[in-house]
Amino acid sequence: MASRADNMASGLSLANFSKATELKQRIWFTIGALVVFRFLSFVPLPGVNPLALANLYENAQGGILDIFNTFSGGSLERMSLIALGVMPYITASIVIQMAAALHPSLMALKKEGEAGRKKLNQYTRYGTVFLCAIQGWFIAAGLEAFAASNGIQAVVNPGYMFRIGAVISLIGGTMFLLWLGEQITSRGIGNGVSLIIMAGIVAQMPQFVGNMLEGARSGSISSFLIIGLIVMIVVLILGICFMERAQRRLLIQYPKRANQRGMMQADRSHLPLKLNTAGVIPPIFASSLLLLPLTITQFAGNQLDAESGVGGALGTVLLYLQHGQPLYMLLYAALIVFFTFFYTAVVFNPEETADNLKRNGGFIPGIRPGKRTADYLDYVLTRITVVGAIYLTLVCTVPEYVIAQTGLPLFFLGGTSLLIVVNVTVDTVSQIQSHLLAHQYGDLIKKAKLKGRLR
């Protein structure tokens, strides 16, 4: 059942948008920051030949590089200053969140409120710099080695000076993106880091649409296939919007308290449990783990003899872990289910929630406070997580199957990409509605004060 705020938000008129000056300024600031992000994606690293790099990247497609390249808006393909994007920050934040749920000292920091949150954010930034340094060094070294094995001079002056300069540049680019994301969050609209990731994914959309239209014009892609792809995208987007907003609301009742008239009244509220508590983390982790062996075989395959034992093993891994292969699809689905349950257990603690309810005097009708409440919350959360895991598996495996059957490079249609784009869009639109709602409330208060003065 829709709440009163939802009903008012659905009745908002876009005519109020022109009056909301602060909201327009926030939107323009967000657009300007995203334009700066897109400009930086075309600034190459010092000492890199962009033309030779484009030819080199064609030989390295299909691995984990495709994920980072999509999330960075093609920056990795061009080896720009922001080639790593914000993925090191995402990885570091996930590790810190898991560590905060498992390590006692970090768990104590998490309970300290704003001071503890700032400390955990500081640890996350340190982890981001560390990951950027490691990834930047391996990218620079791998770029030199892979370019030499393919006979392409992608690096003008190979050596330690190039590697050190590349590491410093990549660290600076990622940290600048984090600063830009914080500015968007505080002075713009929406979550800054999420909007940067979404902008990188959406930036690949014109190329995807152009390839489809060119294929339809040349006859390599049938019209029925294009219509089927459009229908599939629309159905997936609608399904994601529905499932991401789906909740199981548990009734929470509080003891009777005296109101202003002296009457005893019991307060009631709801504890919302999202159907997909894990978000987009399971697909990201699953695809990264599966594509990591494929990337290693691509980089090491040219330096090993195919007749040797190691070379034969790498070739077998490369064969069975290709997109659309049964083993790849089975492992992908299994890892998504595993990480869905694992990350849900990390981010939601039934015992802590039950203790907070008991401390505030709240209880679930028919369930005793304390351990019984924690067991009940764990039971309900496990049941809805099963539905959420099935939903994530279908959303992520169906596009993979379509990509494998059609043979088209449609990585933009990946389940992870669609999940991120839809989630960030829904969150941003909700924030815009909140600003319009606050503006509407402000107008109502002004009108009420005006009437009071007239009286």
Side-chain angles (χ1 to χ4, degrees), residues 351-403:
E351 296 181 358
E352 183 180 351
T353 305
D355 291 340
N356 292 334
L357 288 176
K358 185 178 180 180
R359 193 178 301 113
N360 295 322
F363 63 92
I364 300 175
I367 307 296
R368 282 187 177 183
K371 188 177 183 304
R372 291 289 184 87
T373 301
D375 294 339
Y376 180 74
L377 290 176
D378 183 67
Y379 169 73
V380 174
L381 188 65
T382 302
R383 292 179 64 186
I384 65 176
T385 303
V386 171
V387 181
I390 295 173
Y391 144 71
L392 284 178
T393 304
L394 290 177
V395 168
C396 295
T397 53
V398 169
E400 292 287 344
Y401 179 78
V402 172
I403 292 172

Side-chain angles (χ1 to χ4, degrees), residues 331-350:
L331 291 176
Y332 190 37
L335 286 174
I336 288 176
V337 173
F338 169 75
F339 281 117
T340 301
F341 280 93
F342 178 77
Y343 196 72
T344 300
V346 168
V347 299
F348 186 88
N349 190 349

Side-chain angles (χ1 to χ4, degrees), residues 117-423:
R117 187 183 64 83
K118 289 182 178 179
K119 199 69 176 178
L120 290 177
N121 287 339
Q122 188 176 2
Y123 291 156
T124 303
R125 292 187 180 92
Y126 290 154
T128 303
V129 174
F130 177 73
L131 289 177
C132 284
I134 294 178
Q135 293 179 8
W137 182 269
F138 278 102
I139 283 179
L143 186 63
E144 292 178 355
F146 196 58
S149 62
N150 286 270
I152 301 175
Q153 189 67 23
V155 180
V156 179
N157 293 316
Y160 284 102
M161 292 303 297
F162 166 73
R163 299 181 186 181
I164 294 174
V167 169
I168 295 174
S169 300
L170 290 174
I171 291 176
T174 299
M175 299 310 293
F176 177 79
L177 285 185
L178 293 184
W179 176 82
L180 194 64
E182 291 177 355
Q183 297 301 312
I184 293 176
T185 304
S186 60
R187 302 174 61 183
I189 195 79
N191 184 278
V193 175
S194 301
L195 281 172
I196 287 175
I197 297 176
M198 189 195 74
I201 297 173
V202 174
Q204 307 294 314
M205 188 175 179
Q207 182 179 1
F208 159 70
V209 175
N211 292 336
M212 282 186 58
L213 295 178
E214 179 63 24
R217 188 186 65 82
S218 61
S220 59
I221 303 177
S222 64
S223 302
F224 294 103
L225 178 59
I226 295 178
I227 295 175
L229 289 175
I230 295 175
V231 171
M232 185 191 74
I233 293 174
V234 172
V235 171
L236 285 176
I237 291 176
L238 292 177
I240 292 172
C241 291
F242 176 79
M243 297 298 289
E244 290 298 326
R245 295 178 65 89
Q247 295 177 348
R248 170 69 189 276
R249 293 186 176 184
L250 298 179
L251 179 63
I252 305 297
Q253 192 166 349
Y254 293 92
K256 292 183 178 181
R257 300 173 182 175
N259 57 14
Q260 294 178 350
R261 299 181 180 179
M263 301 177 60
M264 301 300 291
Q265 183 178 2
D267 294 333
R268 290 184 177 183
S269 64
H270 291 88
L271 176 65
L273 298 178
K274 286 191 64 176
L275 202 63
N276 179 27
T277 309
V280 299
I281 302 303
I284 292 177
F285 269 33
S287 56
S288 300
L289 285 180
L290 276 180
L291 293 176
L292 186 59
L294 184 61
T295 305
I296 294 175
T297 54
Q298 285 180 342
F299 277 95
N302 295 328
Q303 302 177 3
L304 295 174
D305 186 8
E307 302 295 333
S308 63
V310 179
L314 290 177
T316 304
V317 171
L318 184 63
L319 178 63
Y320 285 101
L321 289 183
Q322 291 285 349
H323 284 283
Q325 293 296 325
L327 180 61
Y328 174 84
M329 301 290 289
L330 181 62
L331 291 176
Y332 190 37
L335 286 174
I336 288 176
V337 173
F338 169 75
F339 281 117
T340 301
F341 280 93
F342 178 77
Y343 196 72
T344 300
V346 168
V347 299
F348 186 88
N349 190 349
E351 296 181 358
E352 183 180 351
T353 305
D355 291 340
N356 292 334
L357 288 176
K358 185 178 180 180
R359 193 178 301 113
N360 295 322
F363 63 92
I364 300 175
I367 307 296
R368 282 187 177 183
K371 188 177 183 304
R372 291 289 184 87
T373 301
D375 294 339
Y376 180 74
L377 290 176
D378 183 67
Y379 169 73
V380 174
L381 188 65
T382 302
R383 292 179 64 186
I384 65 176
T385 303
V386 171
V387 181
I390 295 173
Y391 144 71
L392 284 178
T393 304
L394 290 177
V395 168
C396 295
T397 53
V398 169
E400 292 287 344
Y401 179 78
V402 172
I403 292 172
Q405 294 299 317
T406 58
L408 298 175
L410 305 177
F411 193 77
F412 174 79
L413 293 179
T416 308
S417 303
L418 284 177
L419 279 172
I420 293 174
V421 171
V422 174
N423 279 331

